[in-house]
């Protein structure tokens, strides 16, 4: 499920895994579970448009 949609009470399938701290800023976090979140394509675009990774 998309973690961002769930925060709003919306149940939607996740399409992508988003790195909270971008890999280009810290490659050591590439597979750290606490740095990953499941998101739908729409939420992923919104996150990136806000400068969030």
């Amino acid at each position: 499920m998309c973690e961002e949609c769930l925060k709003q009470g919306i149940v939607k399938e996740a399409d992508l895994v988003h790195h909270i701290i971008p890999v280009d800023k810290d490659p050591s976090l590439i597979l750290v579970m606490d740095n990953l979140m499941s998101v739908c394509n729409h939420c992923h675009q919104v996150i990136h448009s806000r400068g969030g990774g």
Side-chain angles (χ1 to χ4, degrees):
M1 297 292 115
C2 175
E3 294 180 43
E4 289 295 299
C5 286
L6 284 175
K7 289 177 187 177
Q8 300 172 41
I10 300 167
V11 177
K12 187 172 180 184
E13 185 175 333
D15 303 311
L16 303 163
V17 175
H18 173 70
H19 290 91
I20 299 164
I21 298 172
V23 175
D24 61 345
K25 291 187 180 178
D26 190 346
S28 70
L29 297 176
I30 193 166
L31 296 177
V32 175
M33 294 300 291
D34 289 338
N35 190 47
L36 304 174
M37 63 186 299
S38 301
V39 294
C40 66
N41 189 47
H42 172 76
C43 287
H44 194 243
Q45 289 177 1
V46 170
I47 290 168
H48 280 274
S49 71
R50 294 186 308 222

